[in-house]
């Protein structure tokens, strides 16, 4: 099994560019199922999850070609298969984003029901409730969700019981081709939802209000192919911002609207960093000390759950105690046990972790448990004394493009060891 080897202690300095956002690219790939034609998608990050979604839509009949480094063309003229197999869906929950577009296009979707995952139960009841309100007939059998729709979806007013990012996306996509208008209330406001709405509107949809908690979609009869440039990854940007803070560094993250990482910037400046917001970037300069800050995760524009593990890594070295509350997923503290193995002092009670800062962490062999947990272990390793190894890094490869190369360029001592290599 590949692993990442880090020799901690070097302050990171310099500039690092942000790649395209995985969580914006995935729904845009599935949106191409809505209408035939040739699409060009650029700024696509080179990630395992992208390879999975490409394979999935190919199974459904699309033709996906990587034409340049980060550019893909997709021809979805011949999409005719409505079945998304277990083998693919089980490796990536976001596969359920095909439900809305497939049913809208083909009147049928049979998609393996994603199970629980490392960070929580993650049901998709809200996706299904919304699709049912749009008129679909939904059955669950043999581990699959089977959706049928006679004719076009029928516009409806849908109130989401919980705010869900991919749920909002699925319903928005389904409603684009519905008969009549749909209103989604209590919708997710994440920038990736807005990016999807922009793309759908470029395809001929009529969506208004994306980015607010009420999204209105006036159904149209036909959509057409369009092109998209994927927005920058705010979570990758945030991870590099914490990398600067935790190593006592001075790093400028380029290619991101600083507004998208404002909730993190605020916490980092409360913690003692000097943050300079640039036109398309942010500079994070450490002042040497880390003050404790309390963090509660929330939907956008609140503090992202996808940055909770990384800010916790930073707080392990703070000058006092901080309280970190995870309010989105019920089991997203898997990194705690690994951070403790480096000497961190963390106690967990339910959804709250109390982190008492220690003066230093010591390098250790660690195991990644999920994508963002892996990032937090890398960050802790960058600050720790001595060598840290992080194994099971296939989690990391799902969501961070060329992370070792990027960190190396700003001064980290980090490399990847191939499985089985003797040391
Ligand atoms: N939920 C329900 N029912 C539903 C849908 C969600 O109860 O039908 C609950 C979930 O269990 C969770 C909460 O609602 O407690 C929020 O989940 P949401 O549906 O918003 O999460 P998601 O759409 O599955 C996306 C990102 C995640 C990110 C979350 C929250 C993608 C592909 N994934 O997941 O990203 O953590 O939103 O912001 O966009 C990651 O990139 O590492 C990652 C996990």
């Amino acid at each position: 099994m590949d692993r990442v080897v880090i020799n901690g202690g070097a302050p990171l300095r310099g500039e690092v560019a942000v790649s395209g956002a995985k969580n914006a690219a995935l729904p845009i790939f599935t949106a191409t199922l809505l209408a035939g034609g040739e699409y060009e998608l650029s700024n696509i990050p080179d990630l395992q999850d992208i390879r999975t979604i490409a394979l999935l839509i190919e199974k459904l009949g699309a033709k996906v070609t990587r034409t340049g480094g980060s550019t893909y063309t997709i021809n979805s003229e011949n999409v005719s298969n409505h079945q998304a197999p277990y083998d693919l869906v089980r490796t990536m929950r976001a596969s359920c984003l095909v439900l809305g577009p497939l049913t809208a296009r083909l009147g049928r979707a049979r998609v393996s029901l994603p199970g629980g995952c490392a960070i929580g139960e993650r049901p998709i009841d809200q996706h299904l409730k919304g699709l049912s309100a749009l008129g679909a007939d939904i059955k669950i059998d043999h581990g699959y969700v089977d959706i049928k729709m006679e004719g076009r979806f029928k516009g409806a007013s849908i109130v989401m019981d919980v705010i869900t990012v991919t749920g909002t996306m699925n319903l928005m996509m389904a409603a684009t081709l519905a008969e009549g208008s749909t209103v989604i209330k209590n919708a997710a406001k994440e920038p990736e939802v807005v990016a999807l709405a922009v793309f759908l509107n470029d395809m001929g949809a009529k969506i208004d209000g994306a980015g607010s908690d009420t999204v209105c979609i006036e159904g149209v009869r036909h959509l057409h192919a369009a092109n998209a440039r994927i927005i920058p990854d705010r979570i990758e940007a945030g991870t590099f911002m914490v990398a600067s803070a935790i190593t006592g560094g001075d790093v400028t993250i380029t290619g991101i609207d600083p507004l998208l990482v404002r909730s993190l910037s605020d916490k980092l400046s409360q913690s003692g960093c000097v943050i300079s917001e640039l036109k398309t970037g942010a500079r994070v300069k450490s002042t040497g000390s880390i003050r404790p800050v309390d963090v509660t995760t929330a939907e956008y524009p609140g503090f992202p759950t996808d940055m909770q593990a990384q800010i916790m890594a930073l707080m392990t070295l703070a000058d006092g105690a901080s309280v970190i509350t995870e309010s989105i997923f019920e089991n997203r503290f898997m990194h705690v046990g690994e951070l403790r193995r480096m000497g961190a002092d963390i106690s967990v009670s339910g959804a709250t972790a109390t982190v008492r800062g220690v003066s230093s962490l010591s390098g250790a062999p660690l195991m990644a448990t999920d994508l963002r947990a892996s990032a937090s272990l890398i960050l802790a390793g960058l600050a720790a004394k001595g060598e840290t190894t992080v194994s099971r890094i296939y989690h990391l490869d799902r969501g961070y493009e060329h992370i070792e190369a990027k960190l190396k360029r700003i001064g980290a001592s980090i490399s990847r060891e191939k499985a089985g290599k003797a040391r």
Side-chain angles (χ1 to χ4, degrees):
M1 209 186 299
D2 289 5
R3 59 186 190 169
V4 165
V5 182
I6 304 160
N7 269 293
L12 303 186
R13 291 182 204 290
E15 272 191 20
V16 61
V18 175
S19 301
K22 161 180 88 77
N23 291 349
L26 295 174
I28 287 180
F29 265 79
T30 65
T32 66
L33 298 169
L34 281 164
E38 185 140 308
Y39 298 77
E40 187 178 278
L41 308 182
S42 59
N43 204 31
I44 302 288
D46 184 15
L47 300 172
Q48 189 54 42
D49 276 9
I50 297 295
R51 290 186 274 278
T52 305
I53 202 80
L55 202 59
L56 176 58
I57 67 168
E58 281 196 321
K59 287 250 183 275
L60 302 172
K63 187 170 177 340
V64 181
T65 317
R66 191 171 173 187
T67 48
S70 63
T71 303
Y72 284 67
T73 54
I74 298 175
N75 190 314
S76 60
E77 205 56 44
N78 297 324
V79 167
S80 57
N81 178 10
H82 65 268
Q83 304 216 43
Y86 175 69
D87 277 354
L88 277 175
V89 177
R90 78 182 166 84
T91 64
M92 190 183 67
R93 307 180 53 81
S95 308
C96 69
L97 281 165
V98 303
L99 284 171
L102 260 191
T103 316
R105 173 98 177 259
L106 302 176
R108 183 93 197 261
R110 188 170 162 81
V111 176
S112 171
L113 184 65
C117 83
I119 62 175
E121 233 180 83
R122 303 183 76 181
I124 59 162
D125 58 303
Q126 297 301 307
H127 304 229
L128 302 182
K129 181 186 124 174
L131 292 170
S132 161
L134 293 173
D137 176 35
I138 301 177
K139 288 199 174 58
I140 293 177
D141 65 58
H142 304 291
Y144 278 73
V145 187
D146 206 325
I147 308 191
K148 287 183 194 150
M149 182 70 218
E150 283 287 330
R152 294 168 69 193
F153 277 126
K154 309 281 177 287
S157 177
I158 301 165
V159 183
M160 310 296 270
D161 299 332
V162 293
I163 302 177
T164 151
V165 176
T166 50
T168 303
M169 291 169 163
N170 234 335
L171 299 182
M172 219 163 66
M173 289 189 278
T176 54
L177 287 170
E179 217 177 292
S181 310
T182 298
V183 179
I184 306 173
K185 292 194 176 139
N186 203 23
K189 297 187 282 220
E190 268 64 6
E192 295 74 22
V193 173
V194 178
L196 175 64
V198 167
F199 179 61
L200 293 168
N201 283 345
D202 287 347
M203 290 174 65
K206 292 189 176 164
I207 302 174
D208 202 25
S212 78
D213 59 7
T214 304
V215 182
C216 304
I217 306 121
E218 202 185 312
V220 295
R221 268 192 177 279
H222 303 286
L223 295 170
H224 51 78
N227 300 334
R229 183 173 170 79
I230 303 303
I231 60 167
D233 193 323
R234 63 196 166 94
I235 305 300
E236 186 201 16
T239 303
F240 288 124
M241 290 169 76
V242 176
S244 183
I246 201 170
T247 61
D250 181 358
V251 176
T252 299
I253 291 92
T254 62
I256 182 95
D257 176 349
L259 263 184
L260 298 182
V261 287
R262 180 63 69 71
S263 60
L264 173 66
S265 301
D266 287 350
K267 292 294 174 187
L268 292 180
S269 53
Q270 282 167 34
S271 161
C273 289
V274 178
I275 310 284
S276 319
E277 293 193 343
L278 313 170
K279 197 163 166 234
T280 54
R283 178 178 176 189
V284 179
K285 189 170 182 306
S286 157
T287 50
S289 68
I290 302 171
R291 285 197 294 268
V293 289
D294 294 343
V295 172
T296 299
T297 61
E299 294 86 4
Y300 189 84
F303 191 94
T305 172
D306 289 346
M307 283 302 303
Q308 179 258 108
Q310 299 90 316
I311 197 87
M312 189 183 292
L314 179 66
M315 288 302 115
T316 62
L317 290 168
D319 195 7
S322 56
V323 175
I324 298 182
T325 305
E326 172 56 56
S327 72
I328 307 292
F329 292 110
E330 65 276 18
N331 189 29
R332 212 173 194 184
F333 283 144
M334 303 277 278
H335 41 286
V336 167
E338 298 299 292
L339 291 172
R340 278 193 197 127
R341 300 187 60 249
M342 304 176 83
D345 180 353
I346 308 170
S347 52
V348 174
S349 170
T352 299
T354 303
V355 187
R356 289 176 199 83
V358 294
S359 57
S360 64
L361 296 174
S362 59
L366 305 174
M367 194 102 85
T369 49
D370 71 71
L371 169 56
R372 307 304 169 185
S374 323
S376 82
L377 302 184
I378 302 267
L379 293 172
L382 290 172
K385 290 189 171 145
E387 185 181 276
T388 295
T389 56
V390 183
S391 53
R392 297 205 175 148
I393 51 166
Y394 49 84
H395 291 293
L396 195 67
D397 294 337
R398 293 187 52 191
Y400 287 94
E401 182 178 57
H402 310 148
I403 188 166
E404 305 106 81
K406 287 188 180 188
L407 286 170
K408 228 183 220 167
R409 256 181 260 133
I410 50 176
S413 168
I414 183 169
S415 56
R416 180 175 295 229
E417 267 183 6
K418 287 282 167 205
K421 191 183 158 202
R423 302 189 71 217

